[in-house]
Amino acid sequence: LLKTIEDDPEFDKKKAERLLVGYVEKHDHAITTKTKVMIEHFEEKIAKELQGKAKAMIVTKSRLHAVRYKLAFDAYLAEKGYSHKAMVAFSGTVVDGSKEFTEGKMNGVPESQTVETFKEDEYKFMIVAEKLQTGFDQPLLTAMYVDKKLSGVGAVQTLSRLNRSAYSKDQVFVLDFINTVDDIK
C-alpha cells in the first residue's frame, strides 16, 4: 500500500505508517494473540509464585486498548476455564463502535473500589491505561506485560510497580512487546 502511493505529492509517509500501525495494534487478532501469550505465560511461570498469590499488570497504550484487552482477557480466561479474573483501570468513558465502556461497568464494582477489589485472590490481572501505571502499590505484582512505548521517568515509574516487597518475592518478570532493552536502558 505504501509503495503504490509514494509518488503522490500529498502522501505523508510517516502519517500513513502511524495509521497502519495503529490499525494493526488495535485489531482483534493482535490483541487476542498477545492476550493468549500473556495469560499462558502467567499460568505456566508466574501463577504459582508467592504461594499462588502473584499478580500481573498489563500496561496498554490507550484507554481503547485497555477496553479491548479486558474483553479479550475475559473471553480467553472463560474459554480456558481458568479461575483467575482481570480488572481494568482507566478514566472516563470509552466509546468503541456503538458501545460505551467505563471502568466501573467493566469491573462490576464502583471505580472507587477497583484497587481494593484487586486485592482479592481471584483477581490476577490489572489492565491499565495511564491510571495506576504509576503510584500503584500492590506488593503481589510479580509480572508486567508492556504494550506501550515507555521512556524517561515514566519508564522508571511504570517498571517500579514491581519493586514492592512481599514475603517470598525474590524475582519479577517483564515481557515487553514494544520497547527494546536499549530503549529502557
Side-chain angles (χ1 to χ4, degrees):
L1 177 65
L2 293 175
K3 191 72 172 160
T4 63
I5 57 175
E6 276 182 353
D7 296 330
D8 183 341
E10 294 184 27
F11 172 67
D12 181 345
K13 184 176 180 177
K14 288 194 184 296
K15 182 178 180 183
E17 287 173 348
R18 192 171 50 252
L19 290 171
L20 285 171
V21 167
Y23 173 78
V24 170
E25 290 176 342
K26 287 183 209 138
H27 195 276
D28 288 342
H29 178 73
I31 289 178
T32 300
T33 301
K34 289 177 187 177
T35 294
K36 290 176 184 177
V37 168
M38 290 184 262
I39 291 173
E40 292 305 330
H41 174 268
F42 184 87
E43 289 297 325
E44 292 172 18
K45 305 286 185 185
I46 306 297
K48 294 180 186 100
E49 297 291 319
L50 309 181
Q51 293 87 37
K53 295 188 181 294
K55 297 180 182 280
M57 177 178 277
I58 296 84
V59 180
T60 68
K61 64 185 62 182
S62 73
R63 297 176 318 138
L64 178 58
H65 282 88
V67 165
R68 290 185 178 179
Y69 269 114
K70 171 72 163 103
L71 296 171
F73 264 72
D74 289 350
Y76 191 75
L77 290 166
E79 174 190 323
K80 290 299 213 174
Y82 293 138
S83 60
H84 306 320
K85 293 182 181 177
M87 296 190 83
V88 68
F90 63 87
S91 301
T93 300
V94 174
V95 178
D96 190 7
S98 62
K99 296 180 182 174
E100 289 188 355
F101 299 92
T102 64
E103 176 182 313
K105 287 180 189 173
M106 293 193 85
N107 291 334
V109 298
E111 187 175 331
S112 61
Q113 294 177 16
T114 297
V115 171
E116 195 62 33
T117 302
F118 186 63
K119 293 177 183 177
E120 296 174 15
D121 283 344
E122 70 262 30
Y123 293 101
K124 299 295 184 184
F125 304 100
M126 178 62 78
I127 304 164
V128 303
E130 293 293 329
K131 187 176 180 181
L132 302 186
Q133 185 178 324
T134 61
F136 181 53
D137 187 15
Q138 174 45 265
L140 301 177
L141 280 179
T142 306
M144 182 175 289
Y145 302 98
V146 180
D147 194 23
K148 173 184 182 174
K149 189 77 174 159
L150 298 176
S151 64
V153 72
V156 173
Q157 290 178 333
T158 298
L159 296 171
S160 293
R161 298 309 95 219
L162 294 170
N163 74 359
R164 306 305 189 255
S165 64
Y167 180 77
S168 78
K169 182 177 175 181
D170 58 1
Q171 62 183 358
V172 296
F173 180 84
V174 177
L175 173 61
D176 194 323
F177 293 98
I178 302 291
N179 303 282
T180 66
V181 172
D182 289 338
D183 290 341
I184 297 302
K185 282 182 180 178

